[in-house]
């Protein structure tokens, strides 16, 4: 099938949001996701769900949105000028989970679908998405598990898919002004529209469905690890890098703001507490230094 089934994509995305919220709420054991349904003045809307001050998760947001309009914003056409002037429909699920415990990494995931149309010409459609992991105190076992699940999600779609999407993730989630990765990577892909709709949609479902399998075991293993003021302080400092990336580079944030999306939903990805320090450097030989020396280095974690 080459013609996209928008209704089928919508049903999957909304069911994925339901499933992730249910399972993360159960894992937290204290807080549940509150829901806001919102409408966009120029077309579309969404369903924002946010969990705050849980037993495990300090804040988590899992959003579904579907917006449409007469022309794509600049963030969507910067690398594809042929799309300028086309009407569009964009939908997806985006989530960011910020845990309390500094030994539990922050995680992000996103799956999205775009259709761009122009009278008299065939519609152009594509998928994008992926997920990445941002530890504060890294653990090799966790990172290898994360990448193993990511590779399993890709394996049925080609021998090089995981390697290609891992490399793309390493390159995308990179803070150029800091000359460092945001975390230990995962998967990232965009402009996916070959060989056909069914295959592309199956890959997106495989990635979306694998997120909980990748993240929940890590949370379960690390959520009760003892920590003190030093670890918490470092977590808040490193969260600043997350804020910098999302506000300076993230395409989803830029698209949402430029397309007139709901600001509260777009910025739910930001952590509730964060610190910046002037020219701070970790103590040589410390656990904090190990994050920079061992984990914030793109590498083949599976070999």
């Amino acid at each position: 099938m080459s013609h996209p089934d928008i209704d089928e994509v919508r049903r999957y995305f909304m069911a994925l949001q339901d499933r992730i919220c249910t399972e993360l709420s159960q894992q937290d054991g204290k807080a549940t996701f509150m829901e806001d349904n919102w409408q966009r003045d120029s077309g579309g809307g969404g369903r924002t769900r946010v969990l705050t001050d849980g037993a495990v998760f300090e804040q988590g947001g899992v959003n579904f949105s579907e917006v449409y309009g007469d022309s794509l914003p600049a963030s969507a056409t910067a690398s594809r000028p042929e799309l300028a002037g086309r009407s569009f429909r964009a939908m997806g699920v985006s989530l960011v989970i910020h845990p309390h415990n500094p030994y539990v990494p922050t995680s992000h995931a996103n799956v999205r679908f775009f259709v761009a149309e122009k009278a008299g010409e065939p519609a152009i459609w594509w998928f994008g998405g992926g997920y990445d992991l941002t530890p504060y105190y890294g653990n090799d076992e966790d990172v290898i598990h994360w990448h193993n699940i990511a590779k399993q999600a890709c394996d049925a779609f080609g021998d090089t898919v995981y390697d290609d999407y891992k490399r793309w993730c390493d390159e995308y989630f990179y803070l150029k002004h800091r000359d460092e990765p945001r975390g230990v990577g995962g998967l990232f892909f965009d402009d996916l529209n070959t060989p056909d709709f069914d295959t592309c949609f199956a890959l997106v479902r495989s990635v979306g469905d694998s997120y909980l399998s990748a993240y929940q075991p890590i949370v379960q293993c690390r959520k009760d690890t003892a920590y003190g003021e030093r670890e918490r302080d470092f977590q808040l400092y490193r969260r600043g890098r997350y804020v910098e990336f999302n506000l300076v580079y993230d395409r989803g944030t830029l698209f949402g703001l430029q397309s007139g999306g709901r600001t509260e939903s777009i910025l739910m990805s930001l952590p509730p507490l964060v610190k910046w320090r002037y020219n701070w450097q970790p103590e040589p030989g410390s656990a904090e230094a190990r994050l920079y020396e061992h984990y914030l280095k793109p590498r083949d974690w599976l070999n």
Side-chain angles (χ1 to χ4, degrees), residues 107-171:
S107 71
H108 158 261
N110 172 259
V111 284
R112 56 191 179 273
F113 179 65
F114 284 82
V115 179
E117 297 180 293
K118 188 174 183 178
E121 297 185 20
I124 298 174
W125 59 266
W126 69 96
F127 287 98
Y131 46 64
D132 69 294
L133 192 70
T134 306
Y136 306 98
Y137 291 89
N139 182 288
D140 283 13
E141 180 182 343
D142 295 347
V143 182
I144 291 168
H145 165 78
W146 178 263
H147 281 277
N148 260 321
I149 297 298
K151 184 176 186 299
Q152 292 170 22
C154 296
D155 278 349
F157 301 93
D159 294 338
T160 67
V161 172
Y162 165 75
D163 291 334
D164 292 343
Y165 290 178
K166 180 205 177 290
R167 186 183 314 110
W168 202 342
C169 187
D170 289 340
E171 293 170 354

Side-chain angles (χ1 to χ4, degrees), residues 98 172-182 236-251 253-254 267 269-271 274-279 292:
H98 294 290
Y172 178 71
F173 290 105
Y174 193 84
L175 289 88
K176 301 178 183 67
H177 62 286
R178 297 283 190 181
D179 193 25
E180 68 182 41
R182 185 166 85 170
L236 298 186
Y237 172 72
R238 286 299 308 174
R239 280 179 175 178
R241 299 294 205 268
Y242 212 89
V243 173
E244 290 175 21
F245 183 88
N246 277 25
L247 295 183
V248 176
Y249 298 114
D250 188 77
R251 294 180 192 171
T253 301
L254 294 175
L267 298 183
S269 62
L270 302 181
V274 64
K275 289 185 177 181
W276 278 271
R277 298 185 196 144
Y278 177 74
N279 200 28
Y292 295 86

Side-chain angles (χ1 to χ4, degrees), residues 12-31:
Y12 170 72
F13 284 168
M14 296 183 78
L16 179 65
Q17 183 195 31
D18 289 341
R19 188 163 72 250
I20 290 173
C21 289
T22 297
E23 294 201 24
L24 290 180
S25 293
Q26 291 173 350
Q27 187 170 41
D28 185 86
K30 173 187 173 184

Side-chain angles (χ1 to χ4, degrees), residues 9-51:
V9 176
R10 181 188 302 109
R11 284 192 294 270
Y12 170 72
F13 284 168
M14 296 183 78
L16 179 65
Q17 183 195 31
D18 289 341
R19 188 163 72 250
I20 290 173
C21 289
T22 297
E23 294 201 24
L24 290 180
S25 293
Q26 291 173 350
Q27 187 170 41
D28 185 86
K30 173 187 173 184
T32 57
F33 284 87
M34 66 176 186
E35 179 176 295
D36 282 331
N37 289 284
W38 54 274
Q39 297 295 317
R40 177 174 170 269
D41 290 342
S42 49
R47 192 169 69 174
T48 295
R49 292 178 179 167
V50 177
L51 178 154

